[in-house]
Amino acid sequence: MKELIIIIIGSALVNNVVLSQFLGLCPFLGVSKKTNTAAGMGSAVIFVITIASALCSLIYTGILVRLHMEYLQTIVFILVIACLVQFVEMILKKYSRALYSALGVYLPLITTNCAVLGVAIINVNKDYGLISSIVNGFGTAAGFTIAIIIMAGIRERIEYNDVPKSFQGSPIVLITAGLMAIAFCGFAGLL
């Protein structure tokens, strides 16, 4: 149990996928304009990464390793992730039309979000079992959600501040992301 707690804290805060590993920056910067949209994207990413971690772990150990076809891991993982994202897209389109519209093009981009694929590959590289893979996937997705919601909250406040013209738009967002990354470095002493 202690090992799982270390994995979840490490993946969510210490090795935050966005702010420490710089994976998943496209949706992080693109969807973090409003907190509601950021929370919706975070929920979708939590679902996709957690389920993808479980499925990829099962497929890797149950099929690819047994057939000595480990070299196909990237292709297989991408196919699993693409199927999960299509499933999430169908569910959101049917049950939450507003969130589906708000996420727009960024919802299908979860398929190519390198954070999702990165977690699956990290799980394999660290020889995590099924439970550890699920916990690492959930922790990573929770860390992504924390980062994107914090960024959205900051961006909503920046909108009403007097920002110099040369820093308006993307420059101030990138500076904010950099400052957040520095702040998250403070969690490095946690483990």
Side-chain angles (χ1 to χ4, degrees):
M1 186 65 175
K2 182 180 176 184
E3 180 183 326
L4 296 178
I5 292 171
I6 290 172
I7 289 172
I8 200 163
I9 291 172
S11 60
L13 299 175
V14 178
N15 297 316
N16 187 285
V17 71
V18 175
L19 301 173
S20 295
Q21 299 175 7
F22 307 112
L23 298 173
L25 289 175
C26 181
F28 175 70
L29 296 174
V31 182
S32 62
K33 293 177 183 168
K34 301 285 181 200
T35 49
N36 292 342
T37 309
M41 174 59 94
S43 300
V45 168
I46 286 174
F47 178 78
V48 170
I49 289 182
T50 305
I51 302 300
S53 295
L55 290 175
C56 290
S57 176
L58 289 171
I59 291 170
Y60 183 79
T61 56
I63 298 172
L64 297 179
V65 170
R66 287 186 184 181
L67 297 175
H68 304 291
M69 296 171 56
E70 295 91 348
Y71 58 90
L72 291 175
Q73 75 181 14
T74 305
I75 295 169
V76 171
F77 293 170
I78 289 172
L79 289 173
V80 168
I81 293 164
C83 291
L84 282 172
V85 171
Q86 287 299 316
F87 177 71
V88 169
E89 192 171 1
M90 289 186 313
I91 296 295
L92 285 179
K93 191 173 187 178
K94 184 170 184 169
Y95 295 109
S96 182
R97 189 67 98 161
L99 180 59
Y100 176 78
S101 297
L103 292 175
V105 71
Y106 294 101
L107 185 58
L109 280 179
I110 295 175
T111 303
T112 58
N113 184 344
C114 53
V116 183
L117 179 61
V119 171
I121 292 174
I122 287 169
N123 289 339
V124 167
N125 288 342
K126 289 190 175 185
D127 291 327
Y128 284 155
L130 177 63
I131 301 299
S132 296
S133 293
I134 293 170
V135 168
N136 185 48
F138 179 79
T140 301
F144 176 87
T145 304
I146 291 167
I148 198 170
I149 289 174
I150 291 172
M151 175 61 95
I154 293 171
R155 285 181 78 174
E156 285 179 352
R157 293 199 148 220
I158 287 175
E159 190 175 317
Y160 300 110
N161 291 338
D162 187 25
V163 177
K165 187 167 177 69
S166 60
F167 286 105
Q168 290 178 358
S170 296
I172 195 68
V173 172
L174 293 173
I175 290 169
T176 303
L179 292 172
M180 285 177 61
I182 291 170
F184 268 70
C185 285
F187 291 119
L190 210 69
L191 299 177

